[in-house]
């Protein structure tokens, strides 16, 4: 057995044929150099070590990955997990990633290629948030290839700043004004979205009675039915409980065949966009969208003293980015900061030095 130095490799002979050995991702690999010449075996070893260092190494017999292979991997991953964002992923791949990266080998996609892609998307007027979702899909595809040991390195993919701080909230009076102008059948789902921060189209309007347990006072979303694939449960405050109890009584009386919690005469509600825009126009509100309810719900929860972690869990935000992007801070924390600052300034110099 040849002696190896960490991070390098070695050559050894089996009969008349020379073999090489090297480490990849903490695993030892052996490969026949298919030669009786030791110098040729050493040259192949240097080639393999160079490929490993540059992230271009492909295990013998597995073939080289193309961008199409990466795209298929990430789409299959979303399909297996049953993620609700599969359609959006396919659009990002087909409309933006594929036109740029098609024909490239995965091993040859570099950080420079990613930066050029970002620059082209920005030049086309794409928002940083959209570009971040596209590069995240590409990054996920590389991670899947690495997990499958088809690649051993991925290019650096920068995350662009998303400049939307302190935008996209619906104040209580704005919510009540819009609610008074929309059709009666839209008021319950809008109320639910405002209180919970759940995604209106894909989570609230799609909610079925099988998700609701009024005896327990909970509403649950199953794993795979949300954007990030996670399940979710909330315990109902009094107003939401009363609203859902009314919806259930109406459904059992008038529309027993309808499984949707929120409906229009027993039929699914496809969209609230038209009604929302008309209601905003009638109340003089501009720049408001239903998705603003999500950020508003997070802010309301934090202002009520709910911890950031619990607020994230209730609304279904995967990370705490929403707090950073929208500067959501508990007013209680700010009030406590003022009290501490006042206490500090009020201290005598000798007391300040002792603390």
């Amino acid at each position: 057995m040849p002696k190896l130095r960490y991070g390098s490799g070695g050559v050894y002979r089996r009969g008349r044929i020379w073999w090489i050995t090297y480490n990849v991702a903490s695993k030892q690999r052996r490969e026949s150099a298919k030669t009786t010449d030791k110098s040729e075996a050493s040259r192949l070893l240097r080639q393999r070590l160079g490929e490993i260092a540059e992230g271009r190494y492909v295990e013998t017999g597995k073939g080289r990955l193309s961008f199409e292979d990466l795209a298929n991997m990430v789409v299959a991953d979303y399909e297996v997990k049953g993620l609700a964002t599969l359609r959006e992923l396919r659009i990002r791949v087909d409309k933006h990633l594929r036109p740029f990266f098609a024909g490239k080998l995965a091993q040859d996609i570099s950080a420079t290629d990613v930066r050029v892609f970002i620059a082209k998307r920005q030049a086309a007027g794409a928002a940083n948030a959209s570009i971040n979702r596209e590069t995240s899909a590409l990054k996920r595809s590389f991670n899947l290839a690495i997990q499958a040991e088809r690649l051993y390195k991925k290019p650096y993919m920068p995350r662009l700043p998303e400049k939307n701080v302190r935008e996209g909230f619906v104040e209580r009076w704005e919510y009540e004004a819009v609610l008074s102008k929309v059709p009666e059948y839209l008021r319950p789902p809008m109320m639910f979205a405002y209180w919970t921060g759940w995604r209106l189209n894909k989570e609230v309007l799609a909610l079925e009675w099988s998700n609701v347990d009024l005896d327990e006072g909970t509403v649950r979303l199953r794993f795979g039915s949300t954007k990030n694939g996670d399940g979710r449960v909330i315990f109902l405050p009094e107003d939401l409980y009363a609203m859902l109890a009314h919806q259930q009584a109406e459904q059992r009386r008038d529309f027993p065949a309808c499984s949707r919690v929120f409906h229009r005469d027993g039929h699914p509600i496809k969209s609230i966009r038209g009604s929302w825009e008309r209601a905003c126009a009638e109340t003089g509100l501009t720049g408001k969208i239903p998705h603003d309810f999500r950020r508003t719900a997070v802010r309301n929860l934090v202002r009520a003293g709910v911890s950031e972690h619990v607020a994230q869990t209730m609304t279904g935000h995967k990370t705490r980015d929403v707090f950073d992007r929208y500067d959501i801070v508990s007013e209680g924390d700010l009030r406590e900061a003022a009290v501490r600052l006042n206490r500090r300034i009020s201290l005598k110099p000798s007391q300040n030095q002792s603390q």
Side-chain angles (χ1 to χ4, degrees):
M1 179 64 66
K3 293 182 179 180
L4 296 176
R5 292 176 299 163
Y6 181 76
S8 62
V11 297
Y12 64 100
R13 191 166 57 184
R14 284 184 177 177
R16 298 182 59 194
I17 303 299
W18 285 93
W19 286 64
I20 63 174
T21 183
Y22 45 87
N23 292 327
V24 182
S26 302
K27 293 184 179 180
Q28 188 175 359
R29 309 288 185 188
R30 294 182 178 87
E31 179 182 348
S32 172
K34 299 178 182 179
T35 180
T36 57
D37 188 337
K38 183 179 180 180
S39 62
E40 283 296 311
S42 297
R43 183 196 61 76
L44 179 61
L45 175 61
R46 289 193 297 272
Q47 177 183 326
R48 292 289 182 260
L49 295 178
E51 291 171 351
I52 294 168
E54 296 173 5
R56 296 184 294 103
Y57 172 79
V58 178
E59 189 172 345
T60 303
K62 288 192 174 180
R64 292 187 175 274
L65 282 176
S66 66
F67 167 77
E68 290 299 327
D69 295 322
L70 293 178
N72 291 337
M73 281 185 175
V74 72
V75 169
D77 181 59
Y78 273 54
E79 288 176 337
V80 169
K81 292 180 177 178
L83 296 182
T85 50
L86 175 60
R87 180 176 177 275
E88 286 84 352
L89 172 74
R90 283 180 167 146
I91 291 173
R92 292 187 182 109
V93 170
D94 294 339
K95 190 173 180 180
H96 304 300
L97 292 173
R98 182 170 282 114
F100 184 86
F101 292 103
K104 292 181 179 290
L105 289 175
Q107 295 85 351
D108 295 336
I109 296 176
S110 65
T112 299
D113 293 322
V114 176
R115 291 191 184 96
V116 173
F117 169 76
I118 290 173
K120 288 191 68 172
R121 293 288 289 125
Q122 288 177 324
N128 282 1
S130 298
I131 300 171
N132 281 340
R133 306 303 175 268
E134 292 154 14
T135 55
S136 292
L138 183 63
K139 183 177 181 179
R140 176 62 180 160
S141 71
F142 272 94
N143 287 338
L144 291 169
I146 291 171
Q147 291 171 14
E149 297 186 358
R150 300 291 305 278
L151 289 176
Y152 295 92
K153 189 177 180 181
K154 62 187 175 187
Y156 172 70
M157 300 186 195
R159 182 175 179 81
L160 303 177
E162 298 180 16
K163 299 179 180 179
N164 46 11
V165 176
R166 291 194 180 279
E167 296 177 350
F169 293 106
V170 179
E171 302 303 331
R172 183 59 184 258
W173 72 267
E174 295 173 327
Y175 158 70
E176 292 176 348
V178 172
L179 204 65
S180 69
K181 298 295 183 180
V182 297
E184 184 70 31
Y185 71 90
L186 287 182
R187 293 174 187 174
M190 287 179 59
M191 177 183 176
F192 191 94
Y194 179 81
W195 277 75
T196 66
W198 286 12
R199 296 172 180 87
L200 190 54
N201 287 331
K202 296 183 179 179
E203 295 174 355
V204 178
L205 295 183
L207 200 63
E208 300 196 346
W209 285 113
S210 59
N211 303 113
V212 180
D213 187 337
L214 291 182
D215 291 333
E216 187 183 28
T218 61
V219 179
R220 299 175 183 270
L221 291 179
R222 303 180 187 88
F223 285 93
S225 64
T226 64
K227 181 177 180 179
N228 56 34
D230 293 342
R232 196 182 314 154
V233 58
I234 60 167
F235 287 82
L236 297 168
E238 291 181 4
D239 286 358
L240 282 189
Y241 182 92
M243 180 271 288
L244 289 177
H246 178 270
Q247 287 288 113
Q248 188 177 76
E250 180 189 60
Q251 180 262 348
R252 289 176 174 176
R253 184 186 67 242
D254 300 329
F255 310 104
C258 179
S259 62
R260 294 288 179 93
V261 175
F262 306 112
H263 56 86
R264 182 179 184 180
D265 296 330
H267 300 287
I269 302 170
K270 295 182 179 180
S271 173
I272 74 163
R273 182 175 178 178
S275 296
W276 173 273
E277 291 177 350
R278 284 190 294 272
C280 286
E282 290 177 16
T283 54
L285 298 178
T286 59
K288 302 294 181 181
I289 59 175
H291 194 75
D292 294 339
F293 284 164
R294 280 181 60 69
R295 294 175 283 272
T296 303
V298 173
R299 186 180 67 175
N300 289 344
L301 286 166
V302 173
R303 284 179 171 179
V306 177
S307 71
E308 291 185 2
H309 174 70
V310 173
Q312 281 180 228
T313 302
M314 291 179 66
T315 60
H317 285 92
K318 191 73 171 180
T319 69
R320 70 173 311 281
D321 285 355
V322 65
F323 299 98
D324 297 330
R325 285 187 283 128
Y326 296 95
D327 286 351
I328 297 174
V329 181
S330 168
E331 290 185 347
D333 290 342
L334 295 177
R335 190 177 296 109
E336 178 63 20
V339 171
R340 292 184 181 184
L341 179 61
N342 183 65
R343 187 184 302 130
R344 178 72 179 177
I345 293 176
S346 299
L347 293 176
K348 297 178 180 178
S350 59
Q351 291 175 307
N352 275 325
Q353 292 175 1
S354 64
Q355 293 191 8

